[in-house]
Amino acid sequence: MAKHSPVTGRYVTIDVDGCEYKVFYLQNGKGIPLVCQHTAGCHNHQWRGLLEDAEITQNFNVIAYDLPRHGKSDPPHNKEWWKEEYKLTADHYVNFILKLCDALELKNPIFMGSSFGGNVALQLALRHPNRFRAVIPVEAAGYAPGFYLDWWRHPHSNAAQVCASGVWDLMAPQSPDMDRWLTWFYYSQGSEAFKGDLYFYSVDHDLREELKNIDGRRCPVVMMTGTYDYLTPPEESENTARQIRGGVYIEMEDIGHFPMSENYPLFRVYLKEALRIIQERTGR
Amino acid sequence: MKPDINAWAKKFESLTNSDEAIGAMARYYTCTFMFNMEHAKIIVEMHDGKVKRIDTAPGPIDAYDFVLRASAATWREFAKPIPKPMFHGIWAAMFRQDLTIEGNHLILMQNLRNFTIQFELLRKCGVPV
């Protein structure tokens, strides 16, 4: 008897700012849509634990997509994308998420993302609070400078290994070896997009003057950050949450910047608390 | 009691040479680096994934490709079985603590996978400061 996972994968084609994207996503569950964004230079396998979590997928329709240029989502099919340097902007990133949610006919979803996915969650809460039931920015901050580096795609080194080992100690030493090495492996596959993703993460994303305009009462914002995250350390996330009206901050002990991928059993404890808070605040 | 730096060097060499993760991709892991631990300087010469030489008393103009420099207290944190947050790797300590890496960064990047694994062996053998 074959051991099939309940997770299924599909492609959907959408147009975003004139770019034709054939987007791959994984899905499992029923109920409230929970849309999940992987970290920069990575892909949706980071959400493998959540996608197969029987308890959470009983009440949540978990959708983890590959952003274009990552995993199984190609760069745009209607552009000569290889002729220009990839730099992800906040505007395009936000537009992509809205178009994807429209295409999948998701009503009032929760959006959760980690790292550059967490930062875009803050952008969504600011720009489109009426489109989302809530957002869960994981390992996020209003501003996260310092990681837009040439080393991620330097032609004189093995970019795959530089990206994978360059983010190695973003993970906690306590996280299981297998999960840390799987995360390393995913990172070895995404080096061509990593630097361009980090243009958004460290350069184009700057909400320091805008956090006060996010209304966590209209769109609840529950931030979560691991104590071993050196890039967005806990105090940065806490400081961000404090400036958001109604913002919530949860500190995750003994975990790092890729919590859903490096140690899902621990991450899910905190995620369940975040979902409980959202349910309490939205009454659903 | 002052730590025996030569005994430490032998242990670090043995751990490196028997590490399976380094061994799985050992070929071309060739570079020379210094650990500057405030009270001790050590030059490690690697060749194809094996320690070729560890110099525990380098002279002032002995060559290396890159050097990791931090206080002795930071090195002692690196060497704990489970380091505290922000002492759990070279990037963490560069961003948030007093570690600096100087020299030819390109050579570090070219060898980053294996160097990262080897650096974490300090959690097993400690540091001589």
Side-chain angles (χ1 to χ4, degrees), chain B residues 59-72:
Chain B
I61 59 167
D62 284 348
Y64 50 82
D65 298 314
F66 57 90
V67 52
L68 280 72
R69 193 189 311 276
S71 62

Side-chain angles (χ1 to χ4, degrees), chain A residues 156 161 165 168-169 228-230, chain B residues 25 83 88 92 96 110 120:
Chain A
H156 294 187
Q161 290 191 355
S165 292
W168 178 258
D169 54 75
Y228 276 87
D229 185 348
Y230 72 78
Chain B
M25 210 176 283
H88 60 290
R96 303 294 167 191
Q110 288 169 331
E120 291 190 357

Side-chain angles (χ1 to χ4, degrees), chain A residues 115-129:
Chain A
S115 183
F116 90 142
N119 287 358
V120 83
L122 294 170
Q123 297 272 352
L124 294 171
L126 173 69
R127 300 178 186 210
H128 301 284

Side-chain angles (χ1 to χ4, degrees), chain A residues 148-192:
Chain A
Y148 183 59
L149 303 172
D150 284 338
W151 290 116
W152 307 129
R153 48 175 297 181
H154 195 296
H156 294 187
S157 60
N158 180 335
Q161 290 191 355
V162 171
C163 292
S165 292
V167 301
W168 178 258
D169 54 75
L170 279 169
M171 294 182 275
Q174 299 94 328
S175 293
D177 279 351
M178 176 59 75
D179 295 288
R180 285 194 297 158
W181 276 103
L182 283 173
T183 306
W184 185 95
F185 179 68
Y186 304 153
Y187 261 92
S188 72
Q189 300 169 328
S191 56
E192 199 53 36

Side-chain angles (χ1 to χ4, degrees), chain A residues 37-49:
Chain A
Q37 168 69 59
H38 54 77
T39 60
C42 208
H43 57 72
N44 59 10
H45 278 197
Q46 285 186 315
W47 297 103
R48 65 194 178 282

Side-chain angles (χ1 to χ4, degrees), chain A residues 152-274:
Chain A
W152 307 129
R153 48 175 297 181
H154 195 296
H156 294 187
S157 60
N158 180 335
Q161 290 191 355
V162 171
C163 292
S165 292
V167 301
W168 178 258
D169 54 75
L170 279 169
M171 294 182 275
Q174 299 94 328
S175 293
D177 279 351
M178 176 59 75
D179 295 288
R180 285 194 297 158
W181 276 103
L182 283 173
T183 306
W184 185 95
F185 179 68
Y186 304 153
Y187 261 92
S188 72
Q189 300 169 328
S191 56
E192 199 53 36
F194 192 36
K195 187 186 172 198
D197 289 345
L198 293 170
Y199 178 78
F200 164 75
Y201 178 80
S202 279
V203 181
D204 203 38
H205 169 81
D206 184 354
L207 295 184
R208 284 175 292 180
E209 301 301 319
E210 296 282 357
L211 293 173
K212 60 181 180 296
N213 297 322
I214 298 176
D215 188 350
R217 294 165 302 187
R218 286 171 71 192
C219 175
V221 178
V222 183
M223 301 187 69
M224 303 199 293
T225 291
T227 52
Y228 276 87
D229 185 348
Y230 72 78
L231 197 52
T232 311
E235 59 269 24
E236 293 289 336
S237 297
E238 186 174 14
N239 186 42
T240 297
R242 195 182 296 124
Q243 295 176 68
I244 294 170
R245 271 174 289 172
V248 176
Y249 170 68
I250 297 172
E251 190 159 302
M252 299 186 287
E253 285 285 331
D254 295 343
I255 205 163
H257 192 75
F258 310 119
M260 66 293 189
S261 186
E262 67 178 83
N263 193 346
Y264 181 70
L266 180 57
F267 175 65
R268 79 186 293 275
V269 174
Y270 296 102
L271 176 58
K272 284 169 67 178
E273 175 63 6

